[in-house]
Amino acid sequence: MWCGVYDIQWSCCDLFLLAIHVHAIVRFKLNRCDATMIASRYALQSIVRHCRVTAAGNVRWLSQALVYSKFGAPEDVLEIQQMDVPSVGEGDVKMKVLASPVNPSDINVIQGLYPLSPRLPAVGGNEVVGMVTEVGSTVTSLKPGDHVIAGQPGLGTWRDTVVCQYDKLLAVPVELPVHLAATLMVNPATAYRMMSDFVQLGEGDTVIQNGANSGVGQAVIQLAAVRKINTINIIRNRSNVDQMKEYLISLGATEVITEEDNSKRDIKSLYQRYSPARLGLNTVGGDSATNVMRQLTPQAVLVTYGGMSRKPVMLPTVRVVMSTLVHFWLIGVSDIQRD
């Protein structure tokens, strides 16, 4: 089919083409060659969208991307643009984007509120899973058909096609579901490092975290459950709070309570059912962080890895003196391991 020759992106138009191709075989009992001829006229639409012919007769391949030229609210500054797809250099890899998630940090970058700011104009997005379609002459670790994820931030992944150096990518099993592969690099890695780097945790230990329904929070719950570590998970109150509690319990959460519950005096009775917590994880800040700290042992570690409330972490002086307060930022500690 044309898609195999011209490396057409599987957009809605291409899926429509595939549906026509299959329908022609099944409905009219055509052979594959005839069905392809019937469907090929629709492929022209994809070719027109993804390439341009210059005055000199050269073909320029294009990629659709979400681009911003100034910082601000995403709904105000993001635009869909067509961008040239760079040629593949000897150490480069070209991949077709299969999925790219939206993280809170992606929004913060676009707003200009993140510690690292890209040069403008920039393409949004950091995490991605893609399929390799072409490799440079010196690339031996990857081949067309492989699935890869971003091993470093800043690729600008909200686009059809990405071309980058091979060492900015990590191979993942093709069998790994796309939605899991696309979200593998940031949240699970953050959860794993925070549970491993600061306190030696063992079976029966207890971890307290706010923002427990976040991507990191859900990863913490599952990693802790595997290691038989108790988790006391704090979430905001909401209309579907009971459903959220049931969902987190199904992931392996030991206890799920609301922010309001955690601010009450009698909540101590719940914490006393478990071993004293030596690790707290804070992604909210403000009063929520203070209330987490109150339930930790005096020599515990409170790890702050986010500030979704945009309020400062305020703690009693005795806690500041006796406890360990650290911050965690995955970008600041990540080293790509390729073994």
Side-chain angles (χ1 to χ4, degrees), residues 230-248:
N230 300 312
T231 55
I232 299 178
N233 303 277
I234 305 159
I235 61 175
R236 288 184 298 106
N237 206 348
R238 63 198 71 206
S239 59
N240 65 338
V241 67
D242 291 333
Q243 291 176 294
M244 179 59 67
K245 288 182 177 181
E246 289 176 8
Y247 171 68
L248 297 180

Side-chain angles (χ1 to χ4, degrees), residues 226-266:
V226 169
R227 297 170 59 184
K228 298 182 179 180
I229 296 169
N230 300 312
T231 55
I232 299 178
N233 303 277
I234 305 159
I235 61 175
R236 288 184 298 106
N237 206 348
R238 63 198 71 206
S239 59
N240 65 338
V241 67
D242 291 333
Q243 291 176 294
M244 179 59 67
K245 288 182 177 181
E246 289 176 8
Y247 171 68
L248 297 180
I249 293 292
S250 74
L251 293 182
T254 310
E255 299 280 358
V256 183
I257 59 178
T258 65
E259 293 282 3
E260 289 78 9
D261 293 334
N262 201 44
S263 65
K264 297 175 181 176
R265 289 184 177 274
D266 60 3

Side-chain angles (χ1 to χ4, degrees), residues 157-223:
T157 56
W158 295 348
R159 63 176 95 194
D160 291 333
T161 306
V162 173
V163 176
C164 65
Q165 294 177 331
Y166 81 95
D167 58 1
K168 293 184 177 180
L169 302 172
L170 295 171
V172 295
V174 175
E175 298 81 14
L176 186 65
V178 165
H179 70 284
L180 295 181
T183 55
L184 182 63
M185 196 61 192
V186 174
N187 292 332
T190 297
Y192 178 82
R193 292 294 299 262
M194 290 195 302
M195 292 184 65
S196 303
D197 289 6
F198 305 105
V199 176
Q200 280 195 329
L201 296 171
E203 182 176 340
D205 281 337
T206 302
V207 175
I208 306 173
Q209 64 166 341
N210 56 26
N213 58 305
S214 66
V216 172
Q218 293 182 46
V220 166
I221 290 170
Q222 294 173 82
L223 289 170

Side-chain angles (χ1 to χ4, degrees), residues 213-333:
N213 58 305
S214 66
V216 172
Q218 293 182 46
V220 166
I221 290 170
Q222 294 173 82
L223 289 170
V226 169
R227 297 170 59 184
K228 298 182 179 180
I229 296 169
N230 300 312
T231 55
I232 299 178
N233 303 277
I234 305 159
I235 61 175
R236 288 184 298 106
N237 206 348
R238 63 198 71 206
S239 59
N240 65 338
V241 67
D242 291 333
Q243 291 176 294
M244 179 59 67
K245 288 182 177 181
E246 289 176 8
Y247 171 68
L248 297 180
I249 293 292
S250 74
L251 293 182
T254 310
E255 299 280 358
V256 183
I257 59 178
T258 65
E259 293 282 3
E260 289 78 9
D261 293 334
N262 201 44
S263 65
K264 297 175 181 176
R265 289 184 177 274
D266 60 3
I267 197 63
K268 283 237 178 241
S269 60
L270 181 144
Y271 285 97
Q272 289 170 355
R273 302 174 196 167
Y274 306 99
S275 61
R278 296 183 296 119
L279 178 64
L281 306 177
N282 166 47
T283 188
V284 178
D287 291 341
S288 178
T290 305
N291 290 331
V292 168
M293 191 58 154
R294 283 176 178 155
Q295 306 302 337
L296 298 175
T297 63
Q299 289 78 33
V301 177
L302 178 68
V303 183
T304 292
Y305 67 99
M308 298 306 296
S309 71
R310 298 188 183 178
K311 295 179 180 179
V313 177
M314 302 183 68
L315 302 172
T317 302
V318 65
R319 284 293 189 173
V320 175
V321 172
M322 298 185 65
S323 304
T324 302
L325 311 177
V326 298
H327 72 276
F328 183 87
W329 187 29
L330 185 65
I331 294 176
V333 299

